[in-house]
Amino acid sequence: MVDTIKVGDYVIVQRQKYTKLLKFTNLNTTVNLGKDQIELRLAENHPYRTTFHLVPKQERGKRVYTLDALSTPSEIRNLKELLIKESGRDNRNIVDDRQSQSLSTEEILKLREECESSSEVIGKLVENSKSFATKTEYSQEKYLKRKEKKYFEYVTLRRPTIRLMADIYWRLDPEKVLGVRFDTLSQLISYSGVCSVGNYLLYESGTNGLLPAAMLNSIGAGSTAKLVHLHPGNVAQKQALLAMDFPVEQQQRCLSVNLYSVLRHFYQDQDEAVNASNGTTDGTVKEAEETAAPIVAQQQEEEDENAVTNNGTAKRKHETIEDETPEAKQPKLEEKPKQSWELENEAAAGIMREKFDSLVIVAKEHPYSILKALLPFLKPSRPVVLFSTTREILTECYVDLKADSSVTYLRITSNWLRQYQILPNRTHPDVTMSGSSGYLLTGYTIG
C-alpha cells in the first residue's frame, strides 16, 4: 500500500475536528470547507497525515487557497499561551451589547487579506476587544477556540479508515449507513466472528459500502477468507470499499451480487444438476424439437408458395437464398462472452454450495424473509446477526425463529454510547449526542 497521496486516491481532509471524504480525481480537484475553497494540486506525492498551511490566492471576491506543507507540526501556534495574559474573576459585569469589538466588519475583512496567519488576525481581534481581559480564563479559552475555528489556516490530509468514514457518514446523515453507529458496527464485526479464515455472507441495503469494507478489513490481505456481499439493487454501493484502497487480491475475494439474481442462478444450476442425474434432459430436448418441427414445416411451405407465384427474378432470389442457407444455418461454435455480473453470480453460487461461516443482515425492509432464504446456506453452529433501528421488527424475528427452532441462543441487545468532554474542572457528557444506534438480534444455527 502506497503511503503517499496519488491522483485517483480517496483522502480525508481534516480541519481541527471537522473531517470530509473526497476523491482526489485530478490535479484540478478542489474541496470546499465552509466558504473556503482549497486546491489540492500541491498535495500530490506528499505522505498521508501531512499538515498543510493554507496560502490565500489573490482572487477578488473569492476565498481560494493553495497548500504549503509544514516541515514540522510545531509551526502551529498555541493561541492560549500567546494571547491569555490576564483574566477576570467572573463575568457578572460583562454586558453583551455588541459594542465590545471596536473593529468593523470591513476592517476585519481587510485584516484577513493583509495578515499572513490566522493568529495575527485573532491577536488583533483580542487587542481591540474591550471585554476580553475582564472575562474568566474559561471564557477566554472559549472565545479563542471559536475564533480559531473560524480563522484556522491548517488542514491535514489523512488516509481513509473505517472509523473515520463511519464518523463522517454518521455526522452527515445516519440514514446513509442505515443508522449503524461505529460502536454498533464493531459489535456486528465481533458477533459475526469475521477473521482471515472461512466464508462470510452479508446482506445490506445501502450503507455506502461501509459494512462490506469493515468486514473485508477484518478479513485482511493475504488470507483465504471470502465475502459474498448481497444487495437489492442493480449496482452495489461501494464508496467506502473503494476509499479503503484494498490490494487487488483482497478486493477479488469480495463478491458483490444482487440477492435475487444469485439465488435464481443457484437454484437453476441445482435443478439442472438434478435433471442431468435423473436423465431427463434428453427427453426435454426431444420434446422441444418435436414441438418446433410443425412450425419449421409451415414456414417451408410458405416459402415454396411464394417461389411459384413470383416472377423469375423472385425465383433467382430464392435460388440464391437457398444457395446461401447451408452456410447461414451452420451452427455457431462461438458463444457470447459472459458479462461480469454473470461471472460473479457463478463464483458466488460456488461459495454458496460450500456454505458460510456467518450471516449478517442489515436491511431497510423487514429482514425475516431474507433471513429464511439465506439460513440454509449456513453451516451448523454458526453466528447469525440481524440489525434494525426498531426493536419490534427484531422481536417478530425472535418469535418466529423460536417457533422454527432453527436458531438457538437468541438475544436482542442495544448499545448505549455516551461521549464525554474531557477538560480540566469541566469534564461532563457532551450536550448533544445520539440516543440510540438500533438493536441487534444474535444467535447460532442448529445443525
Side-chain angles (χ1 to χ4, degrees):
M1 188 178 288
V2 184
D3 290 329
T4 57
I5 302 168
K6 299 290 184 184
V7 172
D9 292 349
Y10 281 85
V11 296
I12 289 180
V13 182
Q14 181 176 1
R15 187 178 190 177
Q16 292 186 312
K17 292 183 179 181
Y18 179 78
T19 51
K20 186 172 185 177
L21 174 69
L22 79 153
K23 186 176 182 180
F24 189 15
T25 310
N26 51 53
L27 294 177
N28 296 322
T29 302
T30 60
V31 56
N32 293 318
L33 300 180
K35 296 181 180 179
D36 299 335
Q37 186 177 3
I38 302 170
E39 296 178 352
L40 300 181
R41 177 186 298 272
L42 299 179
E44 189 182 17
N45 297 325
H46 280 89
Y48 282 99
R49 299 192 70 88
T50 301
T51 301
F52 295 90
H53 178 247
L54 300 182
V55 180
K57 292 183 71 176
Q58 301 298 326
E59 291 192 19
R60 191 180 183 91
K62 292 184 179 180
R63 288 160 60 172
V64 182
Y65 299 87
T66 58
L67 300 177
D68 181 25
L70 297 181
S71 56
T72 57
S74 60
E75 292 184 31
I76 302 177
R77 303 165 181 81
N78 190 339
L79 294 177
K80 181 180 175 181
E81 296 177 359
L82 289 174
L83 301 176
I84 298 180
K85 298 174 182 177
E86 57 175 339
S87 306
R89 295 184 60 184
D90 54 50
N91 296 333
R92 69 179 68 181
N93 297 322
I94 297 177
V95 179
D96 186 13
D97 56 359
R98 299 188 178 275
Q99 302 295 325
S100 58
Q101 181 56 252
S102 58
L103 293 176
S104 63
T105 306
E106 291 76 14
E107 291 172 331
I108 295 173
L109 292 174
K110 191 176 180 181
L111 273 177
R112 294 193 67 173
E113 295 176 359
E114 294 176 352
C115 296
E116 296 181 358
S117 64
S118 60
S119 57
E120 294 181 19
V121 177
I122 298 172
K124 293 289 185 181
L125 294 175
V126 169
E127 289 176 10
N128 290 275
S129 175
K130 301 174 184 176
S131 59
F132 184 81
T134 59
K135 293 181 178 180
T136 62
E137 185 178 356
Y138 171 56
S139 298
Q140 289 174 339
E141 288 180 17
K142 285 183 67 177
Y143 177 87
L144 291 177
K145 191 179 292 185
R146 191 167 63 249
K147 297 301 179 185
E148 187 179 23
K149 182 179 180 181
K150 185 175 181 180
Y151 300 109
F152 196 71
E153 55 186 338
Y154 301 97
V155 294
T156 303
L157 299 187
R158 302 179 62 177
R159 182 189 298 279
T161 63
I162 299 296
R163 175 60 188 265
L164 288 174
M165 288 191 294
D167 290 339
I168 290 171
Y169 287 135
W170 180 268
R171 187 190 69 247
L172 290 174
D173 184 6
E175 290 299 320
K176 286 183 175 290
V177 287
L178 300 181
V180 178
R181 203 168 52 196
F182 184 78
D183 56 314
T184 307
L185 178 62
S186 63
Q187 293 287 309
L188 281 167
I189 301 298
S190 177
Y191 279 124
S192 60
V194 180
C195 61
S196 59
V197 180
N199 300 326
Y200 303 97
L201 184 59
L202 165 68
Y203 174 83
E204 55 93 17
S205 52
T207 60
N208 282 287
L210 182 65
L211 275 170
M215 295 184 72
L216 197 60
N217 185 61
S218 298
I219 286 172
S223 63
T224 58
K226 296 176 183 177
L227 173 66
V228 175
H229 168 216
L230 304 178
H231 57 88
N234 294 327
V235 180
Q237 296 183 8
K238 288 187 174 182
Q239 186 183 34
L241 265 174
L242 297 173
M244 288 297 293
D245 193 23
F246 291 117
V248 176
E249 62 87 17
Q250 190 174 355
Q251 292 181 24
Q252 291 174 347
R253 286 185 282 114
C254 176
L255 298 171
S256 298
V257 292
N258 177 270
L259 170 65
Y260 314 104
S261 177
V262 74
L263 286 178
R264 183 170 59 250
H265 187 280
F266 176 82
Y267 287 115
Q268 282 178 352
D269 286 354
Q270 196 176 47
D271 292 342
E272 289 175 4
V274 171
N275 292 337
S277 63
N278 294 336
T280 58
T281 308
D282 295 337
T284 54
V285 172
K286 287 179 180 177
E287 289 176 3
E289 289 178 352
E290 291 173 359
T291 307
I295 301 172
V296 174
Q298 185 180 358
Q299 289 176 350
Q300 188 66 36
E301 289 176 3
E302 290 176 357
E303 288 180 0
D304 293 340
E305 289 174 1
N306 292 334
V308 172
T309 54
N310 288 339
N311 55 17
T313 308
K315 287 181 181 179
R316 284 195 297 274
K317 287 182 180 178
H318 183 65
E319 289 173 1
T320 55
I321 290 170
E322 284 182 350
D323 292 339
E324 294 174 358
T325 48
E327 294 180 3
K329 288 185 178 179
Q330 286 182 356
K332 293 182 179 179
L333 300 177
E334 295 182 0
E335 293 184 359
K336 264 188 177 181
K338 292 183 178 179
Q339 298 183 17
S340 59
W341 64 270
E342 293 176 311
L343 296 173
E344 289 175 349
N345 277 349
E346 288 181 2
I351 301 173
M352 291 167 78
R353 293 186 194 97
E354 300 173 8
K355 296 201 171 181
F356 295 94
D357 293 288
S358 74
L359 169 63
V360 178
I361 298 177
V362 180
K364 291 179 182 178
E365 58 272 28
H366 201 294
Y368 186 69
S369 59
I370 301 169
L371 175 64
K372 292 298 289 181
L374 299 179
L375 266 182
F377 301 105
L378 248 64
K379 298 176 184 177
S381 303
R382 294 301 192 270
V384 179
V385 186
L386 279 75
F387 171 83
S388 179
T389 53
T390 56
R391 184 177 55 187
E392 289 74 18
I393 289 178
L394 294 186
T395 304
E396 293 175 11
C397 295
Y398 177 94
V399 173
D400 292 335
L401 290 173
K402 275 282 188 182
D404 291 345
S405 299
S406 56
V407 181
T408 187
Y409 199 68
L410 291 166
R411 295 287 185 274
I412 295 179
T413 57
S414 174
N415 287 329
W416 194 64
L417 178 73
R418 299 189 74 178
Q419 294 183 338
Y420 278 76
Q421 169 187 291
I422 308 298
L423 290 172
N425 300 322
R426 48 188 185 276
T427 297
H428 58 76
D430 283 351
V431 177
T432 57
M433 67 180 75
S434 58
S436 173
S437 178
Y439 301 86
L440 292 176
L441 172 61
T442 59
Y444 293 87
T445 54
I446 299 175

